[in-house]
Amino acid sequence: MSQHFDDARIPALSRRAMLRAIGVAGLTLAGSSVRADQSIRLPIAGEPRDWPITHDFPQKGSMILQRTRPPLLETPMEVFDRGVFTPNDQFYVRWHWAVIPTSVDADAFRLSVRGHVNQTLSLSIGDLLRLPRVELAAVNQCSGNSRGFFLPRVPGAQWAHGAMGNARWTGVLLKDVLDRAGVKPGAVQVRFNGLDEPVVPDAPDFRKSLDIDHARDGEVMIAFAMNGEQLPLLNGFPLRLIVPGWYSTYWVKMLSDIEVLDRQDDNYWMATAYTVPDTPHANIMPGQTGVKMVPISRMVPRSFFTNVADGASLPAGAVATIRGIAFGGDAGVAKVELSVDDGRTWQPATLGEDHGKYSFRRWQVEIPQLMKGGHSLMVRCTNTAGDIQPAASNWNTSGFMRNVVETVQLTAI
């Protein structure tokens, strides 16, 4: 659940700091000006496997460059081994349209609330800061995280596992903002829009909607900070919608407009894009047609190795500590298990601190002495709703919702 707290808990976010005009000079969007003198080999299913490392985006450190315009930046896997919360400067970035503001004046910025409401609102950052603050730890994960492992391959960013991150989000409840406007009877959905714009006039503006009861559930929030600092520009400054337990397509960045609807939203980004087969694990056979499609929504449980990679070597005859992270999707982590015998038997992992049901949870296992030769390690997560990672990979034309049991091949030498 969301938690209220005093302003003193995040001294970097004083009212003066939040109201300061933010200008980020030289936001790099043109591919010709991005330097890539380093590269990383990703263990994805097809070529290219070597991807550039960039340091040239504002407020960002070393990131895997998936695309320059619009920015698609992936978090290197070793970052997740350093802590349960992903640092802001290495938190992944994914935009749909290339027309993104290169600076935002926080003094002039306004969030509009309109539509099927009693009172239209135009809220400043200062107005929002006067509402009760909340904090929530939650994983933000792209729907296509791990798409690069899909076989047959599908179009789209060929992410490895780094299109995700975990943060403490600070802001206000969406419910409090909607209550201030006064939602009229008959409201059906709430639609959200940001400051990014299509590259051509006829392209569909990126807008996403939630059912009215979900929008008012007391967990969906409007964040102005992550990990105790202002949102980076590329992660949505000055405001970002936080929809815990749901894929990041709903986490609208640079949130500027909230519209309460008295009908179902049938815009392109709800009715056509970001839909998945209405089947178990969103799975179909390649080439299969005539399948009912539904909007993607809730995340599913996942677990990852963070201190060993596929193809790594370990000393034979020595005890090894294997570490990783897991999350339960739209529920908490109940248990994480490791197998060293191709899934025939499983041993429980020791879980780290619980930061809430939507957060990453660290895990570790000490494995026994390994004989020389090849070994297959598998990890799986079960969430508190009883959902467990499947043994077989799913497939769909968008490369969405991968959550198969993860495996690494190791060699004991």
Side-chain angles (χ1 to χ4, degrees):
M1 293 294 292
S2 302
Q3 299 176 349
H4 293 264
F5 61 91
D6 294 329
D7 292 358
R9 286 184 57 184
I10 45 170
L13 291 174
S14 67
R15 185 171 304 237
R16 179 176 299 175
M18 280 302 303
L19 293 177
R20 209 166 44 221
I22 299 295
V24 181
L27 176 60
T28 306
L29 296 176
S32 59
S33 59
V34 173
R35 300 186 306 276
D37 53 1
Q38 296 175 273
S39 65
I40 186 172
R41 174 154 284 237
L42 299 179
I44 58 178
E47 298 294 341
R49 289 187 173 91
D50 293 318
W51 291 82
I53 295 289
T54 180
H55 311 83
D56 290 342
F57 285 81
Q59 301 174 292
K60 290 295 173 181
S62 297
M63 301 291 290
I64 302 168
L65 180 62
Q66 284 278 348
R67 189 181 302 160
T68 300
R69 187 177 178 88
L72 272 66
L73 308 177
E74 180 169 352
T75 302
M77 203 64 197
E78 64 267 18
V79 172
F80 300 121
D81 194 49
R82 299 175 193 155
V84 72
F85 294 106
T86 313
N88 292 3
D89 67 347
Q90 289 188 289
F91 204 101
Y92 90 101
V93 172
R94 196 269 189 263
W95 289 84
H96 295 85
W97 294 124
V99 182
I100 304 166
T102 58
S103 64
V104 177
D105 184 340
D107 286 326
F109 176 84
R110 294 294 183 273
L111 172 66
S112 65
V113 185
R114 59 190 179 87
H116 200 64
V117 295
N118 294 324
Q119 179 184 5
T120 297
L121 303 178
S122 178
L123 301 174
S124 67
I125 299 295
D127 293 331
L128 292 172
L129 288 173
R130 283 186 278 274
L131 294 174
R133 294 194 192 183
V134 292
E135 182 182 74
L136 182 72
V139 173
N140 175 285
Q141 180 188 211
C142 179
S143 311
N145 191 26
S146 311
R147 182 184 287 121
F149 297 94
F150 271 63
L151 281 174
R153 297 183 72 182
V154 296
Q158 298 301 298
W159 302 107
H161 296 318
M164 63 177 182
N166 184 45
R168 286 190 177 99
W169 307 95
T170 305
V172 300
L173 293 180
L174 175 61
K175 180 181 185 298
D176 288 347
V177 173
L178 292 174
D179 286 351
R180 186 168 176 178
V183 175
K184 291 181 178 180
V188 174
Q189 288 193 316
V190 184
R191 183 159 63 191
F192 308 92
N193 198 358
L195 295 177
D196 54 323
E197 298 177 5
V199 293
V200 293
D202 293 336
D205 190 15
F206 184 76
R207 297 177 295 175
K208 298 295 290 190
S209 292
L210 298 174
D211 289 345
I212 186 66
D213 289 344
H214 186 185
R216 293 169 52 83
D217 70 358
E219 289 190 331
V220 178
M221 60 186 288
I222 300 169
F224 46 72
M226 57 190 290
N227 294 324
E229 300 175 350
Q230 292 175 343
L231 292 165
L233 188 78
L234 287 175
N235 292 112
F237 180 87
L239 300 174
R240 181 169 197 171
L241 190 71
I242 306 301
V243 188
W246 281 42
Y247 286 99
S248 69
T249 179
Y250 294 92
W251 296 43
V252 174
K253 296 182 289 296
M254 292 187 177
L255 178 67
S256 60
D257 182 77
I258 298 173
E259 181 182 7
V260 179
L261 306 175
D262 60 1
R263 65 191 186 282
Q264 287 291 127
D265 187 2
D266 61 358
N267 93 81
Y268 170 81
W269 296 102
M270 291 297 297
T272 303
Y274 285 102
T275 57
V276 293
D278 189 16
T279 61
H281 304 292
N283 184 49
I284 59 173
M285 296 295 294
Q288 185 177 351
T289 59
V291 180
K292 179 185 177 183
M293 304 293 284
V294 295
I296 197 170
S297 57
R298 299 177 183 274
M299 295 195 298
V300 288
R302 301 201 70 178
S303 54
F304 303 89
F305 297 95
T306 59
N307 73 327
V308 291
D310 196 51
S313 298
L314 294 177
V319 175
T321 299
I322 307 298
R323 295 190 302 271
I325 53 172
F327 61 97
D330 67 338
V333 173
K335 62 181 177 180
V336 175
E337 299 167 291
L338 187 79
S339 174
V340 297
D341 56 10
D342 295 313
R344 290 187 293 273
T345 62
W346 296 85
Q347 59 179 306
T350 300
L351 296 178
E353 184 178 353
D354 186 354
H355 294 276
K357 69 178 183 178
Y358 300 118
S359 173
F360 281 161
R361 192 120 182 231
R362 302 186 82 179
W363 61 265
Q364 71 174 43
V365 177
E366 285 197 354
I367 60 175
Q369 299 174 359
L370 296 176
M371 296 177 60
K372 286 187 177 181
H375 299 271
S376 177
L377 270 59
M378 306 171 70
V379 65
R380 69 184 184 187
C381 173
T382 302
N383 71 14
T384 53
D387 298 324
I388 187 171
Q389 291 181 253
S393 301
N394 71 329
W395 190 92
N396 53 66
T397 55
S398 297
F400 287 161
M401 292 183 66
R402 177 183 168 95
N403 78 318
V404 66
V405 170
E406 294 296 338
T407 303
V408 294
Q409 303 294 334
L410 303 179
T411 302
I413 56 175

